[in-house]
Amino acid sequence: MIRRPPRTTLFPYQTLFRSPTLHGVSTETAVESLPEMIGPYKIESLLDKGGMSLLYLGIHPETHKPLAIKVLSPQFLSRPQMVEQFLKESKIIGLTDHSNIIKLYGQGEWENGLYIAMEFIQGISLRQFITQHSLSIRRALEIVLHVAYALLHLHTHGVIHRDLKPENILITENGGVKVIDFG
C-alpha cells in the first residue's frame, strides 16, 4: 500500500510566489492580436508562445476563475500529425484526475483553430525553484515523491509522459507539485 504524505508540507517560500506561472513572460500584448474569446472563455492576456502553441490567460464564464488556454498555432492546423498530437494532449489530461496533474476544464474548436482549457497554476517551474532556493533533502524528496505519484497515476492509465523535465513540473504558490505539458 502506498502512503501519501500529508497535504501540508514544509514550505517557507509562499510569499515569493506572486509572479506569473511563466516567469519572465510579458503579459502585455498588442490589443489587436489578442482574441477576445476562445470558445466560451474570455481572454485576458498572452502568457507564452511555445514551439507549436500559444498559451493565454482566460476566465471561466461561470466560475470567473482564471484558466490557462492552450491554442494550436495556426501554421500547424493543416498538419494532421500536429493536430492529432494536440488533441492527444487534451485526451491525456482528461483521463487523469490527480492532485499532482494539471486539470482539464474543456477543449474544442474556435474560429481560429483548436484549444485546450486547463487549470491555471500560480507558481514557478521546478527549474526556477531550484535556482532560486536551496532545497533541503526532505523538500527534494517530497517533490520527487509527488512527481512519482503523478507518474504512477499516469502509468495506471497507460500514459507515459515523454517530456518530463524540470520545466514541466510546477511548484505552486502553496508548495504543491503539478506535472504539466503532455504534448
Side-chain angles (χ1 to χ4, degrees):
M1 179 174 176
I2 298 173
R3 265 187 69 208
R4 295 197 66 153
R7 296 294 280 161
T8 56
T9 57
L10 300 174
F11 195 75
Y13 315 110
Q14 291 175 342
T15 58
L16 299 175
F17 289 93
R18 299 292 177 224
S19 62
T21 300
L22 300 165
H23 181 68
V25 175
S26 171
T27 56
E28 295 177 19
T29 59
V31 176
E32 61 273 6
S33 65
L34 192 67
E36 282 187 37
M37 302 285 289
I38 295 177
Y41 309 103
K42 182 180 183 302
I43 300 304
E44 295 291 316
S45 63
L46 177 67
L47 294 174
D48 193 20
K49 289 182 181 184
M52 69 181 257
S53 62
L54 303 168
L55 190 65
Y56 293 98
L57 176 63
I59 302 296
H60 193 284
E62 295 165 10
T63 65
H64 303 287
K65 290 186 178 182
L67 298 172
I69 312 293
K70 188 173 188 176
V71 172
L72 184 62
S73 293
Q75 68 263 29
F76 296 114
L77 289 171
S78 62
R79 298 177 60 188
Q81 184 178 11
M82 298 300 234
V83 169
E84 182 181 333
Q85 183 178 344
F86 188 81
L87 294 173
K88 188 174 185 179
E89 178 176 10
S90 173
K91 183 177 178 183
I92 290 169
I93 298 169
L95 279 174
T96 63
D97 182 19
H98 192 274
S99 61
N100 297 119
I101 299 173
I102 195 162
K103 292 181 182 2
L104 177 73
Y105 287 105
Q107 59 90 34
E109 295 182 31
W110 65 300
E111 60 195 42
N112 294 334
L114 302 171
Y115 71 87
I116 303 171
M118 301 171 283
E119 175 182 18
F120 176 75
I121 306 297
Q122 185 71 25
I124 59 175
S125 73
L126 179 58
R127 176 161 319 279
Q128 292 165 322
F129 186 78
I130 290 169
T131 61
Q132 294 175 8
H133 309 286
S134 60
L135 288 177
S136 68
I137 291 175
R138 177 184 174 98
R139 183 62 181 141
L141 289 173
E142 287 174 347
I143 292 169
V144 168
L145 193 56
H146 285 287
V147 171
Y149 287 137
L151 294 176
L152 176 63
H153 185 77
L154 289 169
H155 292 180
T156 61
H157 286 85
V159 175
I160 296 174
H161 194 302
R162 298 181 327 187
D163 195 23
L164 191 64
K165 58 188 176 186
E167 292 80 7
N168 291 339
I169 300 167
L170 297 180
I171 306 299
T172 68
E173 139 178 286
N174 66 359
V177 176
K178 293 280 187 174
V179 175
I180 64 167
D181 202 351
F182 297 88

